[in-house]
Amino acid sequence: MTISSQKAFDSILSMSQNMLRLAADRAKSSVTPDMIGKELNKLAIMMEEDFALVDRDALVDELIRRSSRTVGENATLSSSEDHVAWLAAERKKGWTYWQRYSEYMEARIPWTAQDALDVATDEVLSQLEDPTREGAWDRRGLVVGHVQSGKTGNYTGLICKAADAGYKIIIVLAGLHNNLRAQTQIRLDEGFLGFATIADADELPAVGVGLIDKDTSVRPNAATNRSDKGDFNTAVAAKMNISPEQRPWLFVVKKNKTVLERLLHWIRNRVANHVDPETGRKLVTNLPLLVIDDESDHGSVDTGEDVVDEFGNPDLEHEPKTINRLIRSILHHFSRKAYVGYTATPFANIFIHDRGATQEHGPDLFPAAFITNLAAPSNYVGPGRVFGSASSTPDDLPLVRALSDEEFQPWMPSKTTTSPEIKPHKNGHRPRWQGEARVPDSLAEAIRSFVYACAVRKLRGQGGKHSSMLIHVTRFTSVQSEVVNQVAEYLRDLKGRYTRGIELANLEASMRKEYEATFLPGMRVIRAALVEGETLEDFPWSDICAVLPDVLSDIRVREINGSAKDALDYEEYKETGLKVIAIGGDKLARGLTLEGLCTSYFLRTARMYDTLMQMGRWFGYRDGYLDVCRLYTSQEMVEWFGHIADAAEELRQEFDNMVAAGATPKQFGLRVKSHSVLTVTSRAKMRNARAMELTYSGDLLQTIVFPNRKDYITANFQAIDRFISALGPTNDLNHQLFVPEGQKWSGHLWREVPALGVISFLRDYRTHSASFRIMSPLIADFIEEMNKDRELTSWTVALIGKDSGPDEKPRTVGGHSINMIQRRRATEHADRYSIKSLISPRDQAIDLTEAEWKAALELSQNTWRNDTDRNEGKEPPSEPRGPQIRRVLGEGVAEAGIPARRERGLLLLYLLDPVGAEVPELADADPVAAWAISFPSSASERRVSNSKYIANSVLWGGLNDWVD
């Protein structure tokens, strides 16, 4: 598409979106194809010349796609302490920067997303202080988004509104590397400044919003530029004079000691207009400050020791670590300031001590004013949808190709290898595959997958768009260089054969087979599961083969690390689209956006939640090409990401419950799961987190890891057999206190089971050592502790089977017949049988009263966010969800006359079919005995040792009495 046709397309798209929005409002209906046709007919008359340049069918397809998008509901925890509400419609009139940014985004995102951006930025801005408010004020908050979900677009909108409202100095802390800082500067040039900040240029050309509003008198001032060396420096600082009358100033800076020291020196010596008579500290009182901290969990968190004493009082002479100290010092030199951290992985931020402060640097960066959780749009693809969580099992999609150790370990040995003769690679390692300096077969397959993706996109008319592949296998730059050479050599070989036709027959035959048998069917499966509102075309091999010479000629290989000269020059290729295979380490691991990312080959084995999540560059938006995307990673990484998605979802559910309870950030006592191998975040960032004694209150526990030894399986089957035999007479599982209409159960039910029987069963049952959270003896200890407060004393036990049908497999256990259920193994392991999820969502509602069921349903609907990545469904839930059930049972609902039932625990028992497990060692074994426990929430202080949770300072500081 030429520049003129692209402009025409964007212009028509922008106008038609607005017209369709009005038409849908008038008709009180959703947008229909007929409605789109009518509005385009009107525009075709008004914009005849533009219509002559564009493909009308492509316009219709894009408008149908956009009209199908939805955006979930955000949630905010906030504190009104020293805050004056100020943001009203009247205050927003005449806002220039937001108006032009909103218009700029019209052609880029669906109107639902644009409306959501307006709402979300208003929500955050309203939590900040009115910049015109006199006197000293300080607001610190956190915005939590999803990985690669558009946080930059969100804070660009916030910056525009903040500048319109009167914030005069805006500092964006943009990562640790030059290329990420430059990338952020370019985005803000387009979305806020309106001109390209080119170093040493006589004229700064208009870009982005500057092409919409060409009035140069409203241009903000820029203290930094878009070059790699365009960070804040003393030469720029010497020329800068700030006064309250001037337009806002934008600083886009790295989190770097030298840069931040320069900035702090300039503020002290050139901007400060007042001296605090008590402390002698230089202050800026006439210019309100907004600091945006991108990736605020990275680099900004103080990793020093002992920020408070044993009584929780701040150590006023504590010396924070460098970056944290400098950020806090910059804030401390302004009497009127706001700080907003942005991250997708808030694990480190929640460990900041809420009372940490020093005299010299001011308070720490704990988000005391607010925490806002952004919901993902319906077209976002993140860890929840790809890897699933405890509350949702994803389809087994070809989007992810799990690699066995043998497919990469000899070439790039890692710490996780199970082979004693293979040692982890070090700096200077020379990767070899079958004795040769070449890529392993699995990486060659991934490269071919990228080639197919580029070919399909070209045939779909997306050839002018960027397409990227990520290869992330080592943190050592010397090893990355070896990988670059091997990848480039493999690509040269492919290109040579297809462009010259030399020795092509066998290669083409194998690639045709791979495309037709694997890649193309995979595209169809992904579309069926994840793609909505789009018609994505398939192509026969003959069409693919015809464009392969051009595709292979266009692909570039780039090394992206601190020592490489290569850069991802997307801007240079904006008309033709850059086709790039990017190979690197830390620079690719966090923040840096890979445009049009189709294929990832990812072997890095970091063990921290936040690091792993941030490495997930493959998450995000893939409109028009999601079906050609592929992720190649180790089986172990797939399992880890499933656990991380689980931990993130638990954090969000806890957050939702606290929003419903009207809690403040300081009352947000978070618990974050720990893993037997993974750590939550770096140990240094957790210096304020104490290993708590454990509580399972409000939790769902389910066995998902089992031994694959038949003697262990038999022992556990016998344990469940003995337990059920001792329970006595049974009720049919359909004889519950309340059975919703249309539901039918297969199984048995026991009520008022004494806790001692449950405890004895748990001590009898043997959990697998790899089951990082489910340890039967520890859970038994917990129940015994809770019994001392007369909680968990009386249990409901359900033995749940598969509904009757042609494939039923009945077994007798404890004298009762039950149909075994099917749970296929999730990943292959030599020592265990692992599944993704055991229970069905409805199981936790077993034996609720009708009033409890309805109260839990109402709470589930009130906390529903329509967040795609949380697999919540498009409609509010029609059945109560587990977290809300556990809360209703633990707290009751006073206004509905529902008492708490903390004495009641729920134990769910299952028999898994060993044949359906698809584990060869279990083919003729006894049924696999499995169980789940749903604990009601509780304010009890009872705990057990050997904690598998880490808690932040708010929780162990005893500030969680909001629960009462």
Side-chain angles (χ1 to χ4, degrees):
M1 192 179 287
T2 64
I3 294 176
S4 56
S5 62
Q6 184 66 58
K7 282 183 177 179
F9 189 92
D10 289 348
S11 180
I12 297 169
L13 195 62
S14 178
M15 291 191 70
S16 56
Q17 262 201 161
N18 288 327
M19 291 169 67
L20 283 168
R21 187 192 315 209
L22 293 171
D25 287 345
R26 283 194 304 269
K28 293 184 170 56
S29 72
S30 56
V31 172
T32 64
D34 183 56
M35 200 181 290
I36 290 172
K38 286 179 180 178
E39 299 306 321
L40 287 180
N41 287 341
K42 294 176 189 175
L43 281 176
I45 298 169
M46 298 163 52
M47 306 173 69
E48 187 176 352
E49 291 184 5
D50 285 339
F51 264 82
L53 297 172
V54 303
D55 179 348
R56 178 169 172 141
D57 289 341
L59 269 172
V60 171
D61 287 346
E62 179 66 9
L63 287 167
I64 289 173
R65 180 182 68 79
R66 290 187 173 206
S67 64
S68 69
R69 298 293 180 243
T70 60
V71 182
E73 183 183 340
N74 307 321
T76 297
L77 285 173
S78 63
S79 169
S80 59
E81 184 178 345
D82 191 30
H83 178 57
V84 179
W86 64 282
L87 189 61
E90 186 66 28
R91 187 75 165 76
K92 294 174 65 178
K93 288 182 178 176
W95 279 10
T96 301
Y97 300 123
W98 166 252
Q99 182 56 43
R100 63 184 197 171
Y101 181 63
S102 178
E103 192 174 333
Y104 171 72
M105 294 300 287
E106 278 179 357
R108 288 163 174 77
I109 58 176
W111 62 82
T112 49
Q114 191 175 357
D115 289 347
L117 178 64
D118 191 12
V119 169
T121 48
D122 266 8
E123 195 166 344
V124 176
L125 184 65
S126 69
Q127 297 296 331
L128 308 184
E129 218 54 46
D130 183 345
T132 64
R133 178 184 160 188
E134 296 296 327
W137 42 261
D138 184 353
R139 296 288 284 178
R140 304 191 185 203
L142 180 69
V143 177
V144 182
H146 295 267
V147 177
Q148 295 284 287
S149 66
K151 294 186 298 298
T152 307
N154 185 283
Y155 70 66
T156 301
L158 177 63
I159 287 169
C160 290
K161 288 184 175 180
D164 279 323
Y167 279 89
K168 292 295 182 182
I169 295 186
I170 299 165
I171 299 172
V172 178
L173 304 170
L176 303 179
H177 300 292
N178 281 329
N179 55 356
L180 178 55
R181 191 214 66 82
Q183 178 181 275
T184 304
Q185 179 81 56
I186 290 170
R187 294 282 299 275
L188 288 167
D189 285 1
E190 294 170 348
F192 174 53
L193 294 175
F195 56 91
T197 52
I198 300 169
D200 302 321
D202 294 330
E203 288 189 22
L204 301 177
V207 296
V209 294
L211 297 172
I212 294 170
D213 182 354
K214 298 182 180 180
D215 181 2
T216 57
S217 69
V218 301
R219 279 187 172 184
N221 297 295
T224 50
N225 68 61
R226 60 170 55 195
S227 72
D228 250 18
K229 297 180 180 178
D231 214 328
F232 185 78
N233 60 58
T234 49
V236 171
K239 302 174 185 175
M240 289 173 54
N241 287 302
I242 300 285
S243 72
E245 293 75 33
Q246 288 183 306
R247 288 161 276 156
W249 280 85
L250 176 68
F251 300 73
V252 182
V253 299
K254 288 193 304 295
K255 298 180 196 180
N256 171 276
K257 178 177 182 288
T258 303
V259 172
L260 293 177
E261 282 178 342
R262 284 183 203 142
L263 183 55
L264 183 58
H265 182 269
W266 174 75
I267 289 167
R268 282 174 175 158
N269 295 285
R270 299 294 293 272
V271 188
N273 65 320
H274 181 73
V275 175
D276 187 317
E278 293 184 14
T279 64
R281 186 172 79 252
K282 292 181 178 180
L283 280 174
V284 182
T285 62
N286 56 349
L287 297 169
L289 167 73
L290 171 62
V291 173
I292 300 289
D293 189 352
D294 195 8
E295 310 292 358
S296 61
D297 62 310
H298 193 48
S300 306
V301 178
D302 181 19
T303 56
E305 300 289 338
D306 302 324
V307 300
V308 297
D309 63 20
E310 59 183 309
F311 304 108
N313 299 313
D315 175 5
L316 297 179
E317 296 182 1
H318 166 73
E319 189 63 27
K321 295 299 181 180
T322 303
I323 302 302
N324 175 269
R325 168 176 59 82
L326 290 167
I327 294 171
R328 287 163 62 180
S329 295
I330 288 169
L331 287 162
H332 206 40
H333 279 78
F334 286 78
S335 63
R336 297 184 290 160
K337 66 260 190 174
Y339 167 91
V340 185
Y342 275 78
T343 184
T345 50
F347 302 110
N349 301 83
I350 65 173
F351 293 130
I352 297 172
H353 202 291
D354 65 296
R355 281 171 274 176
T358 68
Q359 265 183 336
E360 185 179 348
H361 316 105
D364 207 341
L365 302 178
F366 181 80
F370 69 94
I371 304 173
T372 293
N373 225 337
L374 299 177
S378 57
N379 59 326
Y380 173 74
V381 179
R385 297 184 81 184
V386 175
F387 299 103
S389 66
S391 59
S392 65
T393 303
D395 297 316
D396 191 8
L397 298 176
L399 199 64
V400 179
R401 162 90 151 80
L403 303 173
S404 64
D405 285 359
E406 293 72 25
E407 292 183 277
F408 65 87
Q409 286 283 19
W411 178 72
M412 197 66 64
S414 73
K415 292 180 182 178
T416 60
T417 179
T418 55
S419 174
E421 31 316 324
I422 298 178
K423 304 297 181 187
H425 76 276
K426 298 179 180 178
N427 198 14
H429 168 69
R430 300 178 68 192
R432 294 291 181 269
W433 183 251
Q434 297 177 349
E436 299 178 34
R438 64 183 178 93
V439 297
D441 296 344
S442 59
L443 179 51
E445 178 190 327
I447 293 169
R448 293 193 300 274
S449 172
F450 178 59
V451 172
Y452 302 145
C454 291
V456 170
R457 295 196 73 193
K458 184 179 181 71
L459 292 167
R460 285 178 180 168
Q462 300 168 10
K465 304 285 188 182
H466 303 306
S467 293
S468 303
M469 176 179 181
L470 159 69
I471 298 177
H472 194 304
V473 295
T474 177
R475 66 187 179 89
F476 301 114
T477 56
S478 64
V479 186
Q480 290 166 22
S481 296
E482 289 278 334
V483 175
V484 167
N485 293 335
Q486 292 180 15
V487 170
E489 179 57 36
Y490 181 71
L491 204 61
R492 270 195 298 272
D493 181 60
L494 286 181
K495 177 183 173 183
R497 294 199 198 192
Y498 271 97
T499 53
R500 299 187 186 94
I502 301 172
E503 297 180 3
L504 182 58
N506 289 340
L507 172 66
E508 185 178 336
S510 66
M511 287 180 68
R512 175 175 185 161
K513 182 179 179 181
E514 182 178 56
Y515 176 78
E516 292 179 342
T518 305
F519 194 82
L520 183 59
M523 288 168 58
R524 292 167 178 160
V525 171
I526 293 168
R527 286 204 300 270
L530 296 177
V531 176
E532 295 179 0
E534 292 184 280
T535 302
L536 302 181
E537 191 177 354
D538 288 341
F539 300 96
W541 172 252
S542 56
D543 290 354
I544 298 292
C545 192
V547 299
L548 283 183
D550 287 347
V551 165
L552 288 164
S553 295
D554 286 342
I555 295 174
R556 305 284 179 264
V557 180
R558 295 280 188 266
E559 182 177 357
I560 310 298
N561 56 45
S563 60
K565 295 180 181 178
D566 287 345
L568 295 176
D569 41 0
Y570 292 115
E571 189 66 19
E572 186 179 329
Y573 287 83
K574 65 182 178 182
E575 291 181 34
T576 59
L578 177 64
K579 315 296 183 291
V580 64
I581 298 177
I583 301 166
D586 291 340
K587 283 197 174 185
L588 290 180
R590 180 183 279 268
L592 191 67
T593 298
L594 295 169
E595 302 284 350
L597 180 61
C598 299
T599 313
S600 300
Y601 189 88
F602 186 87
L603 301 180
R604 180 81 176 268
T605 52
R607 284 182 168 79
M608 294 178 287
Y609 286 18
D610 49 3
T611 305
L612 277 175
M613 285 286 276
Q614 289 293 350
M615 286 177 175
R617 301 291 95 197
W618 53 86
F619 301 135
Y621 304 101
R622 302 289 181 266
D623 290 345
Y625 65 100
L626 176 62
D627 56 340
V628 300
C629 295
R630 300 292 186 273
L631 163 63
Y632 291 74
T633 191
S634 67
Q635 290 176 340
E636 187 172 37
M637 289 285 282
V638 171
E639 198 166 28
W640 284 356
F641 266 104
H643 178 58
I644 293 164
D646 203 0
E649 175 56 18
E650 181 177 284
L651 185 147
R652 288 177 183 271
Q653 287 180 350
E654 185 74 13
F655 188 90
D656 289 342
N657 282 337
M658 297 194 77
V659 170
T664 67
K666 283 198 174 185
Q667 294 166 325
F668 191 12
L670 287 169
R671 300 180 305 165
V672 180
K673 291 179 190 173
S674 72
H675 187 287
S676 56
V677 180
L678 284 160
T679 49
V680 177
T681 182
S682 73
R683 294 189 184 278
K685 291 178 184 175
M686 293 196 296
R687 83 267 179 261
N688 289 319
R690 297 181 183 175
M692 286 186 58
E693 293 194 320
L694 180 65
T695 176
Y696 289 114
S697 292
D699 281 358
L700 168 69
L701 305 180
Q702 51 180 328
T703 50
I704 58 172
V705 182
F706 310 94
N708 59 4
R709 284 176 48 181
K710 286 192 282 189
D711 55 340
Y712 276 61
I713 295 297
T714 296
N716 281 340
F717 177 69
Q718 291 172 347
I720 206 169
D721 184 74
R722 285 189 293 271
F723 174 56
I724 292 173
S725 296
L727 290 178
T730 177
N731 290 310
D732 184 279
L733 191 49
N734 291 293
H735 294 162
Q736 298 179 36
L737 298 177
F738 170 66
V739 176
E741 186 177 349
Q743 285 196 6
K744 185 182 177 186
W745 299 84
S746 175
H748 306 275
L749 180 70
W750 294 265
R751 295 191 183 95
E752 310 298 332
V753 175
L756 182 59
V758 174
I759 291 168
S760 298
F761 164 66
L762 291 172
R763 296 203 186 284
D764 202 12
Y765 185 98
R766 301 174 70 178
T767 46
H768 195 280
S769 58
S771 183
F772 54 86
R773 200 177 169 210
I774 311 299
M775 294 167 285
S776 285
L778 196 62
I779 299 165
D781 289 347
F782 174 71
I783 296 170
E784 284 186 334
E785 277 298 306
M786 298 299 283
N787 285 175
K788 295 174 183 177
D789 285 339
R790 298 179 182 274
E791 296 189 18
L792 302 179
T793 55
S794 180
W795 285 71
T796 298
V797 177
L799 175 62
I800 306 171
K802 185 179 181 296
D803 291 339
S804 297
D807 58 347
E808 66 180 42
K809 293 188 177 181
R811 283 298 298 257
T812 299
V813 60
H816 302 286
S817 180
I818 193 77
N819 281 330
M820 293 186 291
I821 65 172
Q822 305 286 325
R823 291 292 185 270
R824 193 175 62 175
R825 70 176 172 186
T827 52
E828 291 186 30
H829 290 287
D831 67 333
R832 59 193 185 271
Y833 157 42
S834 299
I835 62 177
K836 287 180 177 174
S837 185
L838 173 65
I839 73 167
S840 296
R842 69 175 186 168
D843 292 355
Q844 289 184 76
I846 284 176
D847 220 30
L848 294 180
T849 65
E850 184 175 1
E852 289 167 343
W853 192 92
K854 289 182 175 177
L857 174 59
E858 183 179 1
L859 183 58
S860 299
Q861 292 172 339
N862 289 341
T863 54
W864 175 73
R865 304 287 174 208
N866 191 21
D867 191 327
T868 300
D869 196 48
R870 296 174 67 177
N871 297 299
E872 291 190 314
K874 296 179 181 176
E875 300 295 331
S878 57
E879 295 181 350
R881 293 179 168 175
Q884 287 71 35
I885 291 171
R886 301 191 293 272
R887 183 177 165 197
V888 166
L889 286 174
E891 299 177 22
V893 184
E895 57 269 28
I898 300 173
R901 281 210 283 162
R902 288 194 287 270
E903 75 285 353
R904 175 214 190 245
L906 176 63
L907 172 61
L908 308 169
L909 305 173
Y910 306 82
L911 294 183
L912 307 187
D913 176 14
V915 176
E918 298 184 1
V919 178
E921 297 88 343
L922 301 182
D924 56 349
D926 283 316
V928 179
W931 52 264
I933 295 180
S934 179
F935 288 105
S937 61
S938 173
S940 172
E941 295 297 319
R942 299 285 179 183
R943 301 288 188 270
V944 286
S945 59
N946 193 16
S947 170
K948 286 294 172 181
Y949 274 81
I950 302 296
N952 77 333
S953 62
V954 171
L955 186 54
W956 62 253
L959 297 180
N960 60 328
D961 52 1
W962 64 272
V963 176
D964 298 332

